[in-house]
Amino acid sequence: MVSPAEALAPDSKVPTLIASRLTKTFGTRTAVSDLSFEVARGHAFGLLGPNGAGKTTTVRLLTGLISPTSGDVTLFGERLTRDNADELRARVGVQTDTNLYETLTVRDNLLVWGELYGLNRRAIGRRTLEILEILALSDRIESVVGELSKGMRQKLSVGRAVLHEPELLFLDEPTAGLDPEASEDLIVCLVQMIHAMRTTVILCTHQLHGLEKLCTDVGIIEAGTLVTTGDVGELLRLRWPRQRYSVSVGADRDRAERVITQVVGEVDETKGSAHLDFSVDDADEISDVVAALVGAHVPVRSVVPRQPTLHDLYFATVEQRDKS
Amino acid sequence: MINRRRIWALMRKDWRELSRNGQAAAPLIIVPMLFVVVLPIAVVLLGDNTLLTSSIGGLQGFLDHLPVGLIPAQFSPQQSVVYAVLVYFMAPFFLIIPVMVSSITAASSFVGEKERRTIEGLLYTPVTDRELVLAKTLVSVIPSVALAWVSFLVYTAIVDLLAGPRLGGIFFPTWTWVVIVVVLVPLVGFLATSLIVAVSGRSRTMQDAQAASVLVILPVLGLVVSQATGLLLFNTSVALMASAALLVLDVAVYLAVVGRFRRERIVTLL
């Protein structure tokens, strides 16, 4: 057991959250199976998976809302139990797809939440203004929540979760149902808030766009099982150890493919497009590829590095899992 | 340890939401008005008219079995009927008011939040089970008791103004009535509401909650109606002892409801 002071120290090595062999069954259905991972203080962990993969059950387990069938959760160095769950939840913020109080105003929604987390009126007023400013909702403070757009409500639900400046923040599909622009805006807001507050974040989503800006670590969950977990950069390097590039070659695709294969060994599968993807061990090999293409009279329109993304990692992992 | 600030925050939130629902307010006003305005006026105006005694269920039987000596000997038959009805027969209604009124709001306490999809957010907060159940109970008990007390004041005024001159001056309320209204009404309201809140936490829909609430509340109502009049036939100290017993029962029921409250059950029933 770690003392609270030790766990709270700015340079604490104690992970904010440890999930240890968590399993949850409902009747004969196993929602989550043998889930283990940990999230270091100040890190943002993306729990990625399709609908029904067990993400929401995981959030409920990690916050003590439901009890695991087996396994343990440790929050801030303390084992989560029914007896200390309420106390530990005071240090946690949770945004889920549940609704705000639609008949109350934006201000009243935040006021209730601040009081439930023990903030005094002055602190609630200050935090309300700060959060609405970041979320670009300052002019809607007196609006009834039911009158807000879906995007505004989504932003407000994130704002409500961070009102009390939690040490650990759970975001469950924060961009669900948002159009791409609103989704982008919300991610920018989240990044700002997370950096400003140095909060540990666990983000559950199946919407992968823009996550690189947010997540330092990921876990990919499928059918209740954690398929892979680790540092985003490390996982990408392990999965794609070579540097990837994309060359645009115009019409003479087949000849270009033969030339590139001669230089680097193989071309990645890029069916039907005018560009070809390939991998090299060293960036210097790019000039060899371009020289070979030019020498073979293949018009080279562009060569761009193609960094694999979380999106690529997610689909590659799921595909590999499905094959196995 | 109960955090009063959190309870108060939850109660204010619920009252704000309720105040925006005008439909819920109508029965809250109509039912007590029937008991405290229409019935006493009818009793005073009709006296021992057979139309009155036959139209109010159980009244004739009540009058026939009233113990001797409770009605002042100098009263005429008509005065005796008016006195007996106003002082003894009406008491159960005041205990029914908080039960009926709070049942309207308490049935929706948890299931309403489930249907509006707000409950899970609330369960993620540091609010404890004790605080949550107590807040959800008091949200319904306080207005229902306040309404019962206001109704009692209105009833007192009507009874003394209309019947007082016919019965030789102000005769209401008696001390036993005061104990019943001030002490027993909140305790009965709390007992019934705790049970309905428990039902609400275990229901999937509002209809389920309302149907199950009726089943839970009927025995309580039966007990209240059967015992209230009996209490009035005794004296104030008996009423106080009954109140003490009910207080113990209230605490036991509240602790049992908290003990059986499971967040897991609520979220997995969503």
Side-chain angles (χ1 to χ4, degrees), chain A residues 24-26 56 59-60 63-68 82 85-87 89-90 92 94 96-105 108 111-121 124 144 160 172, chain B residues 3 5-10 12-18 20-21 113 115-131 136 258-265 267-268 270:
Chain A
K24 180 68 184 176
T25 55
F26 296 103
T56 301
V59 173
R60 289 171 176 172
T63 50
L65 209 58
I66 59 176
S67 308
R82 196 165 181 241
D86 300 317
E87 203 180 311
R89 271 198 290 267
V92 174
V94 184
T96 64
D97 65 343
T98 57
N99 288 340
L100 299 155
Y101 296 107
E102 303 258 319
T103 56
L104 303 187
T105 63
D108 285 345
L111 175 65
V112 171
W113 232 238
E115 288 178 331
L116 294 181
Y117 280 93
L119 271 58
N120 62 40
R121 286 268 175 149
I124 295 170
V144 172
R160 188 176 75 163
D172 192 3
Chain B
N3 182 320
R5 201 158 163 254
R6 283 204 289 253
I7 292 174
W8 183 235
L10 278 176
R12 272 210 323 272
K13 184 272 291 177
D14 277 5
W15 283 335
R16 279 200 196 111
E17 286 193 296
L18 277 172
R20 285 166 170 81
N21 181 3
E113 294 233 25
E115 288 189 339
R116 293 190 296 276
R117 298 187 65 247
T118 55
I119 188 69
E120 190 167 352
L122 193 57
L123 297 178
Y124 280 120
T125 68
V127 175
T128 65
D129 294 351
R130 282 187 177 202
E131 291 161 359
K136 289 292 183 189
V258 171
R260 295 179 66 83
F261 184 82
R262 293 284 179 275
R263 289 173 194 236
E264 177 158 348
R265 189 184 169 89
V267 292
T268 52
L270 287 174

Side-chain angles (χ1 to χ4, degrees), chain B residues 103-120:
Chain B
S103 70
I104 295 168
T105 50
S108 72
S109 57
F110 283 112
V111 82
E113 294 233 25
K114 277 187 206 172
E115 288 189 339
R116 293 190 296 276
R117 298 187 65 247
T118 55
I119 188 69
E120 190 167 352

Side-chain angles (χ1 to χ4, degrees), chain B residues 105-168:
Chain B
T105 50
S108 72
S109 57
F110 283 112
V111 82
E113 294 233 25
K114 277 187 206 172
E115 288 189 339
R116 293 190 296 276
R117 298 187 65 247
T118 55
I119 188 69
E120 190 167 352
L122 193 57
L123 297 178
Y124 280 120
T125 68
V127 175
T128 65
D129 294 351
R130 282 187 177 202
E131 291 161 359
L132 202 49
V133 171
L134 188 58
K136 289 292 183 189
T137 305
L138 291 179
V139 158
S140 297
V141 170
I142 290 176
S144 66
V145 169
L147 197 65
W149 284 351
V150 169
S151 302
F152 175 67
L153 292 177
V154 172
Y155 180 77
T156 302
I158 289 175
V159 163
D160 283 330
L161 279 173
L162 296 182
R166 298 176 187 212
L167 299 176

